[in-house]
Amino acid sequence: MLRGMAHGHRIAQAARPDAAVGSSDSPRPWLPRASGSAILAAFAGRLRTKSEAMIQSKLPNVGTTIFTTMSQLAAQTGAINLSQGFPDFDGPQALREAVGRHVMAGHNQYAPMTGLPALREQVAQKIARSYGRRVDMDAEVTVTPGATEAIFCAVQALVRPGDEVIVFDPCYDSYEPSVELAGGRCVHVPLALPDFAIDWQRLSDAIGPRTRLIILNSPHNPSGALISRAELDQLAALIREREIYLISDEVYEHLVFDGVAHASVLAHEELYARAFVVSSFGKTYHVTGWKTGYVVAPPALSAELRKVHQFVTFCGITPLQWALADYMSAHPEHVDELPAFYQAKRDLFCDLLKGSRFTFTRSPGTYFQLADYSAIRDDLSDVEMSLWLTREHGVATIPVSVFYQTPPKDLRLVRFCFAKREETLRQAAERLCRV
Ligand code: PMP
Ligand code: GLN
């Protein structure tokens, strides 16, 4: 009974805020609020029903994510969706065909808990090629249903009640709920504008006796900023004498532009010894809906993560793992070709956007491009701007403030996803140039 009711609430939660967003004459109480968490809290606040009072939420500040909200608004208004990060083109045909082949060949039962050996082997080989590290595919590589699950499991494996976890704002939205569910607390360290670089003084000030974990993300969502090898060295020196672990979210590891090499924690001996390095096949092979990723960590850390992972999902999806293993083995060059593939999209989009009143510097990595709109509508917050662009100009974007605990005053940045076909980018840019 109780279960059924709780489930019902979840459905209500999912459906209601988006309906409200879609109707232009409905009250929009989040609009005047500046902070990202306040916006999400406002969504959550709108959803309370009578019977919901029976349950005290473990995540009282969490509502529907900005990605769902903006993608649904784009669908409702018919806007071009450059908000939520996903390609509007398909992954390689051979990869997709391989899934069908493996389904028909009977690869439809549980995969091993740690992931299909053939896929873990491919991951280990790719790591050796890309970062020069030889990892033990049995003891150090775990395939997960998406990077999100890997991050969640790593946090649960490490964080105890009262522990502090340092995250850099703007930060990806799944980190903080994962930490809170483990009983920990996020300490938000803002990245320094305009380049979204680590502010070493603030990081050093934030580290204390309760610090258990630091979550890094390079290439960085939403800014595209990269952490350099020298910065990894600096971080190693800062935490050398402390028992602090790392999650290095490197889901965009192969989307690094302008000839720069990705500085992976996998290539850093000292940091790797205390790290979970997370990646996502979804980003690398243009198949975000497959929700398949992996995490690489030294044996003792992997063992603890697996204790959690085996009771969260147990394993990833079998035929997808077979298909990825086949494709990676036949096309090791895929990852080497990705930077040029996405750099061309970034450059096309940025060249077209030069004809607009948005200002920007080209994104160094990821498939996201930030743009400053203060020359267009300085009177609007970024949330208001995103809604206005979607409704009035037919291009959906993501406001950057929602990734902050306390957004900088007068932040006038929106995020565009350029993982789109050329015609989509041209059409979107044409609309943006008219704004
Ligand atoms: N981390 C970051 C920074 C991301 O942008 C994403 C993507 N959506 C994820 C983690 C989650 O990846 P996945 O879809 O594989 O769970
Ligand atoms: N990572 C994607 C983005 O930043 C969204 C993933 C999601 O919707 N959970 O847009």
Side-chain angles (χ1 to χ4, degrees):
M1 172 67 179
L2 204 58
R3 273 181 174 216
M5 287 171 69
H7 184 61
H9 291 315
R10 270 203 301 278
I11 291 168
Q13 282 207 2
R16 289 182 56 180
D18 304 314
V21 165
S23 88
S24 52
D25 55 5
S26 63
R28 284 165 282 159
W30 62 90
L31 280 185
R33 308 174 101 135
S35 106
S37 42
I39 292 153
L40 296 179
F43 281 123
R46 292 164 62 76
L47 305 170
R48 236 158 255 141
T49 61
K50 268 187 195 156
S51 47
E52 202 171 345
M54 289 167 59
I55 181 164
Q56 193 182 357
S57 176
K58 291 180 75 176
L59 296 170
N61 295 323
V62 170
T64 304
T65 77
I66 192 69
F67 306 119
T68 299
T69 301
M70 292 311 298
S71 275
Q72 293 206 352
L73 182 58
Q76 284 158 4
T77 58
I80 299 172
N81 189 2
L82 303 191
S83 64
Q84 190 178 23
F86 61 87
D88 74 342
F89 47 88
D90 250 326
Q93 188 174 338
L95 174 63
R96 289 179 287 124
E97 283 173 354
V99 178
R101 219 174 41 246
H102 284 292
V103 167
M104 295 317 290
H107 290 146
N108 300 305
Q109 309 310 329
Y110 295 126
M113 181 271 281
T114 57
L116 210 67
L119 182 55
R120 285 187 284 108
E121 186 182 343
Q122 287 305 316
V123 169
Q125 284 181 17
K126 189 205 73 176
I127 290 168
R129 277 196 312 273
S130 300
Y131 307 120
R133 167 172 296 282
R134 303 224 156 264
V135 294
D136 177 340
M137 60 172 252
D138 291 324
E140 295 176 82
V141 179
T142 308
V143 176
T144 57
T148 311
E149 199 246 9
I151 293 164
F152 185 83
C153 292
V155 168
Q156 304 312 310
L158 283 175
V159 175
R160 295 187 168 82
D163 283 349
E164 290 179 354
V165 176
I166 293 179
V167 296
F168 296 96
D169 279 3
C171 82
Y172 189 59
D173 66 347
S174 84
Y175 303 160
E176 185 148 32
S178 304
V179 169
E180 287 183 351
L181 287 173
R185 185 175 82 83
C186 277
V187 175
H188 294 259
V189 175
L191 293 168
L193 295 173
D195 297 329
F196 295 89
I198 293 176
D199 181 331
W200 291 97
Q201 189 55 52
R202 289 187 89 145
L203 174 59
S204 156
D205 291 347
I207 293 175
R210 287 176 179 273
T211 309
R212 175 85 169 156
L213 171 67
I214 297 175
I215 305 185
L216 298 176
N217 173 213
S218 174
H220 178 244
N221 180 4
S223 73
L226 308 175
I227 295 177
S228 68
R229 169 72 198 203
E231 286 174 304
L232 292 183
D233 290 341
Q234 202 166 342
L235 179 65
L238 190 62
I239 61 176
R240 188 162 292 145
E241 307 303 331
R242 297 172 180 270
E243 199 201 332
I244 294 177
Y245 295 88
L246 293 179
I247 292 177
S248 187
D249 179 346
E250 302 185 14
V251 297
Y252 301 102
E253 63 178 320
H254 298 296
L255 278 62
V256 177
F257 311 133
D258 306 312
V260 175
H262 169 54
S264 175
V265 165
L266 284 165
H268 197 287
E269 203 58 41
E270 188 179 350
L271 288 182
Y272 178 66
R274 48 170 92 202
F276 294 93
V277 181
V278 174
S279 191
S280 172
F281 298 108
K283 320 287 174 196
T284 303
Y285 295 96
H286 320 305
V287 287
T288 59
W290 287 17
K291 290 300 291 186
T292 303
Y294 62 88
V295 49
V296 187
L301 293 185
S302 289
E304 287 306 308
L305 173 128
R306 289 169 177 184
K307 288 182 191 174
V308 180
H309 161 71
Q310 68 183 348
F311 296 119
V312 175
T313 52
F314 184 74
C315 66
I317 296 170
T318 305
L320 301 185
Q321 295 188 46
W322 277 105
L324 285 162
D326 283 1
Y327 190 78
M328 286 178 79
S329 149
H331 296 283
E333 77 289 352
H334 175 92
V335 294
D336 305 320
E337 292 169 356
L338 265 192
F341 175 79
Y342 271 117
Q343 185 171 330
K345 291 194 179 294
R346 178 201 67 175
D347 287 342
L348 172 69
F349 185 60
C350 287
D351 288 345
L352 293 167
L353 219 54
K354 275 192 203 152
S356 76
R357 290 186 292 154
F358 289 93
T359 56
F360 54 88
T361 48
R362 285 172 199 244
S363 177
T366 74
Y367 45 48
F368 302 119
Q369 177 65 52
L370 295 188
D372 184 305
Y373 62 86
S374 49
I376 303 171
R377 287 295 304 265
D378 202 30
D379 58 317
L380 297 184
S381 74
D382 61 353
V383 173
E384 293 168 322
M385 182 68 180
S386 293
L387 295 174
W388 183 72
L389 277 177
T390 309
R391 289 192 179 123
E392 306 299 328
H393 294 277
V395 181
T397 68
I398 295 287
V400 170
S401 65
V402 301
F403 299 103
Y404 278 92
Q405 182 184 48
T406 310
K409 216 171 139 288
D410 303 328
L411 193 73
R412 292 288 181 267
L413 293 174
V414 289
R415 189 196 80 176
F416 297 105
C417 172
F418 57 76
K420 305 293 166 190
R421 287 167 292 149
E422 181 173 335
E423 61 263 37
T424 310
L425 294 175
R426 285 191 184 280
Q427 210 188 352
E430 206 180 291
R431 294 182 185 185
L432 293 170
C433 288
R434 286 201 296 262
V435 179

